[in-house]
Amino acid sequence: GSGDILYDHSGNGNHGTIHGATWVFDYDVNLHLGANLVSFYGLPEDSSVPNVLAPLSDNVSGVITEGGACSLTPQGWVGSQCTLHCENGYWLIMNADDILPIDDAMTCNNEYCLASGANLISFPSPDTIAVSPAIPDDMESCISGIITEGGACSQLNPFEWVGSKCELMGRQGYWLISECDDCFSFDLSS
């Protein structure tokens, strides 16, 4: 590579480039017709909805997140939340199945500040991790449930989770039901 860009030739599957001190990578988000609850574990520098969702053209009609939305109109994208953020979960409303390529994404180091009640958040990893190891122990007692597209997981007793979706997956959005106002970061070491 050149002096400005370093290319990964390690063979470990983490394909990307380094611009200066920033790791840049590409990944895809698979989408189906209708409402998709998604998140982004990396976003490009320009994380505006018109830029990130441009590959979908008019196959996407709206973006909904906690406290706001952005809709595609004949005049372009309009709404109160037309910039994507790594820490948020999003409902993408699709007109047909599609794949959203995320190019030149930068890693997100998310801290999540939860309010008591339902919080729509992302999961900042491409991997899948069980709920209990992913949530720090001091925060786990504050979370009574997790809801995602097609399933949920509830904490019956301390550190005892049951449900149809008790793993957190990259690219998936989540409603965390919190009983506390507190901040945390996921433990991705598992």
Side-chain angles (χ1 to χ4, degrees):
S2 72
D4 295 323
I5 301 174
L6 299 176
Y7 296 91
D8 175 23
H9 297 289
S10 64
N12 65 5
N14 295 327
H15 304 290
T17 59
I18 298 176
H19 296 273
T22 304
W23 177 253
V24 177
F25 57 96
D26 302 331
Y27 67 99
D28 294 325
V29 178
N30 293 319
L31 302 166
H32 59 79
L33 171 68
N36 296 257
L37 184 53
V38 302
S39 70
F40 303 97
Y41 59 86
L43 285 167
E45 188 171 352
D46 178 359
S47 63
S48 67
V49 167
N51 181 60
V52 175
L53 301 187
L56 299 175
S57 187
D58 62 356
N59 194 19
V60 59
S61 59
V63 178
I64 303 166
T65 190
E66 182 180 351
C70 190
S71 297
L72 184 57
T73 70
Q75 293 75 36
W77 287 97
V78 297
S80 61
Q81 295 285 326
C82 289
T83 299
L84 300 173
H85 300 281
C86 288
E87 63 274 8
N88 294 352
Y90 296 93
W91 286 101
L92 296 185
I93 311 304
M94 299 296 300
N95 300 318
D97 294 353
D98 211 335
I99 297 172
L100 173 62
I102 306 293
D103 296 326
D104 297 327
M106 294 177 284
T107 301
C108 301
N109 296 314
N110 297 348
E111 179 178 59
Y112 299 88
C113 290
L114 304 180
S116 183
N119 299 265
L120 183 54
I121 69 167
S122 67
F123 183 61
S125 172
D127 300 320
T128 299
I129 301 175
V131 167
S132 191
I135 300 171
D137 289 349
D138 62 337
M139 189 66 189
E140 194 168 349
S141 62
C142 289
I143 300 171
S144 60
I146 300 172
I147 303 166
T148 191
E149 181 180 347
C153 190
S154 296
Q155 189 170 194
L156 292 182
N157 297 302
F159 311 108
E160 181 186 351
W161 293 87
V162 297
S164 61
K165 295 267 184 144
C166 288
E167 292 183 321
L168 301 170
M169 300 172 56
R171 302 176 185 92
Q172 192 76 46
Y174 295 92
W175 285 101
L176 260 66
I177 311 305
S178 178
E179 298 174 10
C180 306
D181 294 331
D182 206 350
C183 298
F184 79 102
S185 294
F186 283 107
D187 180 352
L188 303 176
S189 63
S190 299

